Amino acid sequence: MPDLIPAAKPLIGDDERAAVDRVLRSGMIAQGPEVAAFEREFADHFVDGRETVAVNSGTSGLHLGLLACGIGPGDEVIVPSFTFAATGNSVALTGATPVFADIDPVTFTLDVASVEAAITPRTRAIMPVHLYGHPADMVGLGELAERHGIALFEDAAQAHGAKIADRPVGTFGSFTMFSLYPTKNMTSGEGGMVTAGSAEIARALRLLRNQGMERQYENEIVGFNARMTDLHAAIGRVQLTKVDAWTQKRRENAAFLDTHLTGVEIPVVAPGVHHVYHQYTIRVRDDRDGFVRALREEHQVGSGVYYPIPNHRLPSLTHFAPGLDLPQTENAASEVVSLPVHPSLSDDDLGRIVAAVAAVAGAGS
Ligand SMILES: *Cc1c(COP(=O)(O)O)cnc(C)c1O
């Protein structure tokens, strides 16, 4: 039997190991010069130099970003329900209310009309997710936010390097979070990066990250320990030198799948958008779970379902959305399958994926 083609595969090489060893030997391993260098390099690489603050996870990044922008009890923040739970969780953790809006069925990202319908006098912000590496409609959402005098944030956990008409994600929001979890387009082990739309927000992020201190033992506000370590930053700095080539390979893999897959609905890219294919997500209208099982058991092709349960139906979040109906979100949750698109796929792997999908989709029709 051939080896299983995994749905995702973090790429850690000798240079990442050497970088960790270098930091370990230095004797200084907590947040220090590696983190500071990583912040500058990440900012220059992805967000046109916008000030960037490193934290210990993407979820911390969302939480601190919301707090830095003044979100708290009594506020509402509009988010998608079709995303990882961290998006809505981070709003709830501030004491504010996540309000779930529906998605555009083509891009799987927030639908502007659905967001507009969800705006109330308590709405303080919209936080779209650039799901699967495809940017949300930041132009449409930006106009809407401006018209209503509310803020715009970005969950770019899956979208390092994605762009809309040459403008990178991470430069639209008052803050933007990028995750560095191992399955994301680049990793630091665990970690997150928060880009700030103003010097005040950046300063608030730095205070919240470190017990409210700018100078040691002069705590100005109540804060967290959400610091990134120099060990993690050292890994991230090496990954930053490789991520563009990986993204290029993801895009080539996606182009191959686009032209060779048969019997399924392939992903659609909005005009003018640079998609970074964190996931390559198709729709399977009938018996999606059987399709996934057959790919794995009969063809040794791994795949993923992101996400099978809409956030507004999760036991943890459903009390924020009693009786809410989001038809496009429900459809997507029951139909999506993400095929392997990661940069370590070989030509042989790509051929096997195409043949497996043809066999399973053909058998089911
Ligand atoms: C991964 C992810 C997060 C959380 O990031 P962590 O680094 O795992 O805490 C938040 N939002 C989305 C859309 C994600 O995919």
Side-chain angles (χ1 to χ4, degrees), residues 310-327:
N311 286 191
H312 74 285
R313 300 220 181 270
L314 292 173
S316 52
L317 294 170
T318 194
H319 63 282
F320 289 113
L324 182 65
D325 186 28
L326 301 175

Side-chain angles (χ1 to χ4, degrees), residues 4-8 279 288 291-293 295-296 301-306 337-340:
L4 179 80
I5 302 174
Q279 299 294 347
R288 184 265 318 274
F291 180 92
V292 166
R293 206 175 318 113
L295 279 186
R296 189 182 58 244
V301 171
S303 63
V305 172
Y306 315 106
V337 180
S338 296
L339 299 173

Side-chain angles (χ1 to χ4, degrees), residues 56-62 82-87 129-132 155-158 177-184 190-192 278 307:
N56 58 354
S57 76
T59 305
S60 295
L62 289 177
F82 190 59
T83 174
F84 184 54
T87 313
V129 177
H130 306 307
L131 199 72
Y132 307 145
D155 179 338
Q158 308 183 355
M177 178 280 287
F178 294 86
S179 169
L180 299 169
Y181 184 73
T183 58
K184 304 294 158 85
E190 289 266 12
H278 172 62
Y307 296 88

Side-chain angles (χ1 to χ4, degrees), residues 128-259:
V129 177
H130 306 307
L131 199 72
Y132 307 145
H134 187 297
D137 179 1
M138 297 311 285
V139 177
L141 293 171
E143 281 165 12
L144 182 64
E146 199 168 306
R147 200 148 24 90
H148 289 268
I150 58 182
L152 188 61
F153 309 142
E154 299 176 69
D155 179 338
Q158 308 183 355
H160 314 65
K163 294 181 191 123
I164 301 169
D166 286 333
R167 182 167 171 191
V169 304
T171 63
F172 293 89
S174 302
F175 84 87
T176 301
M177 178 280 287
F178 294 86
S179 169
L180 299 169
Y181 184 73
T183 58
K184 304 294 158 85
N185 287 27
M186 61 175 283
T187 186
S188 60
E190 289 266 12
M193 284 292 192
V194 189
T195 66
S198 73
E200 295 72 48
I201 292 170
R203 180 164 192 276
L205 285 166
R206 291 185 193 285
L207 287 174
L208 288 164
R209 170 176 70 174
N210 188 29
Q211 313 284 3
M213 294 188 290
E214 188 169 87
R215 279 189 301 277
Q216 203 169 20
Y217 308 132
E218 295 181 20
N219 309 60
E220 299 173 39
I221 60 169
V222 176
F224 300 82
N225 173 0
R227 296 182 302 260
M228 181 183 281
T229 72
D230 266 14
L231 290 171
H232 294 90
I235 297 170
R237 291 180 71 193
V238 175
Q239 295 258 311
L240 200 53
T241 67
K242 304 178 177 178
V243 65
D244 288 353
W246 289 336
T247 298
Q248 180 58 28
K249 182 69 164 74
R250 284 177 183 274
R251 287 171 53 82
E252 287 164 19
N253 291 345
F256 181 90
L257 295 173
D258 283 347
T259 44

Side-chain angles (χ1 to χ4, degrees), residues 13-75:
D14 287 342
D15 20 5
E16 280 88 346
R17 277 186 286 276
V20 171
D21 198 45
R22 170 169 51 75
V23 175
L24 282 172
R25 283 171 198 281
S26 79
M28 297 199 339
I29 57 181
Q31 180 184 296
E34 292 284 335
V35 169
F38 187 29
E39 289 176 340
R40 284 192 304 273
E41 290 161 5
F42 190 96
D44 288 342
H45 196 91
F46 284 126
V47 290
D48 299 339
R50 201 176 252 230
E51 189 163 354
T52 298
V53 178
V55 290
N56 58 354
S57 76
T59 305
S60 295
L62 289 177
H63 186 198
L64 269 53
L66 290 161
L67 293 173
C69 291
I71 302 298
D75 297 336

